[in-house]
Amino acid sequence: TRQICILAFKIGDWLTNLINPTLGGLIAMLSMSRVPIDRWIRFIFPIFILLMIFSFITLTLAVSINYNWIILNVEGILSKLVSFPILGGQSNISILTWIKEYIESYGVEVHLVPNKKEKKASLHCRIGPAEDCGVILSGHMDVVPVKEQDWTSDPFTLTNKGDGKLYGRGSCDMKGFLACCLAVLPKMVSNDLKTPIFFAFSYDEEVGCIAAPELAKAIKNYYTEKPKYAVIGEPSMMEPI
């Protein structure tokens, strides 16, 4: 993953600084102690070799478990999504960018469907093979206003009050569903799916489902394979409609 590459780069940069000091603190320490650079290299080289071996083992383990800095549980993802105060009709670029980068960090290609002014966009992607009979998981990124509502907590901070519920604007409608989709993405990617799963996340649903038709059209035109089902994660008291 991209996070493993970043980890490898940071480890390499850190190890390089041990042999060829460029960090201000390390340079200052060597200068104040008047340690010649050749003496420093003789001292640090055995430690450098041990650290290289340890780093190699660390990166090997990271690859084997599909390590990712931003693996989050569903509550953690929901907390992040709720923190974006994107109302219907507003630009959704901030939440869109976060979701897009999260999905892409697992090696999944994401496609955007922007509006004419490019201030908003829907997204779609496919996880799994290019086969017919897949399932679309669909939701929207915007929420309804909170003005003049009697909130006892910050509506854009996910709050656990200890009653088994999570409070925040959109926690049900419908960032909760988006969080579930994103939380299970690592398992989707790591499993050998026989049929594909699609994500289709839109904007401006709360002001008339404005983006949904263009998103549906974009999905139909982009993929040669035909999905068979769609799950729309709107809150319905857990009753299918």
Side-chain angles (χ1 to χ4, degrees):
T1 66
R2 181 171 60 183
Q3 281 66 42
I4 292 176
C5 293
I6 293 172
L7 177 62
F9 174 81
K10 288 184 176 180
I11 291 175
D13 186 55
W14 181 64
L15 290 174
T16 301
N17 273 294
L18 290 178
I19 296 296
N20 183 24
T22 57
L23 294 175
L26 183 55
I27 293 173
M29 182 189 72
L30 293 175
S31 299
M32 293 176 63
S33 60
R34 296 182 180 179
V35 175
I37 189 64
D38 58 336
R39 184 178 177 186
W40 168 254
I41 292 176
R42 287 197 301 271
F43 167 77
I44 203 65
F45 190 74
I47 299 174
F48 174 82
I49 295 300
L50 291 175
L51 289 174
M52 282 285 290
I53 295 171
F54 175 77
S55 300
F56 177 78
I57 294 172
T58 299
L59 290 172
T60 301
L61 288 173
V63 172
S64 68
I65 63 174
N66 194 29
Y67 176 76
N68 194 318
W69 279 117
I70 56 174
I71 288 179
L72 303 171
N73 61 23
V74 66
E75 185 174 337
I77 295 174
L78 178 57
S79 178
K80 185 64 179 180
L81 296 180
V82 167
S83 71
F84 293 101
I86 308 302
L87 308 182
Q90 296 180 343
S91 171
N92 72 324
I93 297 302
S94 57
I95 187 172
L96 171 77
T97 300
W98 191 89
I99 294 174
K100 178 177 179 290
E101 291 180 351
Y102 176 91
I103 295 173
E104 288 177 336
S105 73
Y106 289 97
V108 178
E109 186 176 2
V110 176
H111 308 281
L112 302 184
V113 186
N115 68 344
K116 292 181 179 179
K117 294 183 178 180
E118 298 188 348
K119 296 292 181 70
K120 311 171 188 178
S122 301
L123 69 80
H124 63 86
C125 63
R126 185 193 68 222
I127 305 100
E131 301 286 347
D132 290 338
C133 299
V135 178
I136 298 174
L137 302 179
S138 181
H140 59 85
M141 294 172 273
D142 59 311
V143 297
V144 295
V146 298
K147 189 177 181 179
E148 298 180 359
Q149 295 178 357
D150 188 20
W151 284 80
T152 57
S153 59
D154 183 349
F156 296 108
T157 299
L158 192 68
T159 303
N160 187 340
K161 298 183 179 181
D163 58 357
K165 300 177 182 179
L166 297 172
Y167 294 84
R169 173 57 83 217
S171 56
C172 286
D173 185 11
M174 62 182 306
K175 292 177 177 178
F177 179 74
L178 300 186
C180 290
C181 293
L182 296 175
V184 79
L185 177 62
K187 290 185 178 181
M188 295 180 184
V189 171
S190 62
N191 280 281
D192 184 21
L193 298 179
K194 304 303 181 184
T195 54
I197 297 173
F198 301 83
F199 288 170
F201 300 161
S202 67
Y203 64 89
D204 280 0
E205 189 274 347
E206 297 291 4
V207 289
C209 296
I210 291 174
E214 285 297 319
L215 177 57
K217 183 179 178 181
I219 291 173
K220 181 179 179 181
N221 292 339
Y222 186 84
Y223 302 102
T224 56
E225 63 274 17
K226 294 182 180 180
K228 188 174 183 179
Y229 303 103
V231 177
I232 316 300
E234 288 282 358
S236 60
M237 303 302 291
M238 299 305 292
E239 293 292 332
I241 296 176

